[in-house]
Amino acid sequence: MLNNKVVIITGGGSGIGFAAAQMFAAKGAHVLITGRRKEVLEEITASHPQIKGFVADASNPESAALTVAAAIKRWGRLDILVNNAGAGVIMPLEQVNAQSISDVFAVNVTGPTLLASAAIPHLEKTKGLIINMSSTFGSKAGANLSLYGSSKAAMEYMTRAWALELAPKGIRVNAIASGPVETPFLRDRMGLTEEQIEAVKEHERQSIPLGRRGEPKDVAAWIVNLANPDMSWVTGQVIGVDGGLVIT
C-alpha cells in the first residue's frame, strides 16, 4: 500500500529512524533519510536501493527547505514526513544556560516546525501525513530532564495544533511518544559516559512494567502503521509506545 510513496525521515542514519526507513522501503516506498554524517548515509544507501541520503543538520534552519527540495527534485512528490531527529540532555536546573536551552529546542522544536512548514504545499497535493517523534517524558516528569521533556511536550502540543490547522488541507498529523530504546542516543545525543549509560539503562529496565528497554523496530512499526491508508481517520493523536513506562 506504500508502493512509490515518498517519505522523508530526519535522523534516519541509525536507531528508530533507520528501522523505519527499512520498513518503509520494504513496502515499496522511496525514502530520503537525513543525518550529519555523510559516510554513514553513503554506507546505508549503498546497500538499500530504495533509501537515499541527504546530509542535513536538523538544528540548522536552512536545512528544512533544502531537505524538502531534495525529495521533490528526486521523486517529484512527498507523502510522509517523519520528524525523527532529536536532541537531549540530562542537566540539573542550576546548570542550565541559554546555550543548552537553544541546542535542545533547535533540534526538537524549531527544526521540525520549519520542516513541516516547508512540506505543507507538497503534502497537501498528496493528502499526506506528518509523524512527530515525542517521548514518554513529554508528559511524564523526570528529574534533570526539564529541557528535554519540555521540548517534547512542545512537540505534542504542536502535533495537536497542526492536526487542527492542516485537516482542511487533508494532511494528518500524529506523534509517537517513545520510551527508552536501544539506540546510540544516550551516547551521541545525551553525551553520557559508558558507565553513566549503563546506570541509566538499568534504572529504566527496573522502571518499565514490561521489564525491558525497547528495540528500534518496536517504535518504527508504529510509524509505518500510521502511514497505512487504513489509518486515514486518525489525526491529532499522541501514541505511547514505551512498555508501560508512562503509567508508572
Side-chain angles (χ1 to χ4, degrees), residues 48-242:
H48 296 82
Q50 293 284 107
I51 302 175
K52 302 301 178 184
F54 183 74
V55 178
D57 185 342
S59 68
N60 182 351
E62 296 181 359
S63 292
L66 294 174
T67 299
V68 173
I72 298 302
K73 181 179 180 180
R74 179 175 291 274
W75 294 296
R77 63 181 292 156
L78 177 60
D79 299 89
I80 301 155
L81 168 62
V82 183
N83 279 313
N84 171 72
V89 63
I90 298 176
M91 180 176 288
L93 179 58
E94 61 264 31
Q95 295 179 13
V96 167
N97 54 57
Q99 189 61 55
S100 59
I101 298 171
S102 177
D103 289 345
V104 172
F105 276 75
V107 177
N108 292 358
V109 178
T110 305
T113 301
L114 294 176
L115 191 55
S117 178
I120 287 172
H122 308 286
L123 293 174
E124 184 175 8
K125 292 177 183 178
T126 60
K127 305 303 179 188
L129 168 67
I130 298 172
I131 301 174
N132 296 321
M133 287 304 300
S134 182
S135 164
T136 300
F137 295 101
S139 58
K140 180 182 177 67
N144 304 321
L145 289 175
S146 60
L147 291 186
Y148 177 69
S150 62
S151 72
K152 292 302 186 180
M155 175 63 81
E156 294 187 6
Y157 182 88
M158 291 190 300
T159 295
R160 293 186 286 268
W162 296 353
L164 279 175
E165 181 178 342
L166 300 179
K169 299 180 183 293
I171 301 172
R172 296 188 298 121
V173 187
N174 292 294
I176 302 292
S178 172
V181 172
E182 295 292 351
T183 73
F185 187 81
L186 290 174
R187 182 183 67 250
D188 295 349
R189 305 302 293 183
M190 290 286 198
L192 301 185
T193 66
E194 293 302 320
E195 183 177 354
Q196 290 171 324
I197 289 171
E198 187 49 45
V200 169
K201 287 184 175 182
E202 181 56 30
H203 174 73
E204 290 171 344
R205 283 190 287 265
Q206 293 179 9
S207 301
I208 295 170
L210 289 182
R212 68 172 178 88
R213 288 165 53 85
E215 297 293 337
K217 62 182 177 62
D218 294 324
V219 181
W222 275 94
I223 295 174
V224 178
N225 284 342
L226 283 172
N228 190 314
D230 290 340
M231 299 293 174
S232 62
W233 210 45
V234 178
T235 195
Q237 303 304 304
V238 179
I239 299 171
V241 186
D242 65 1

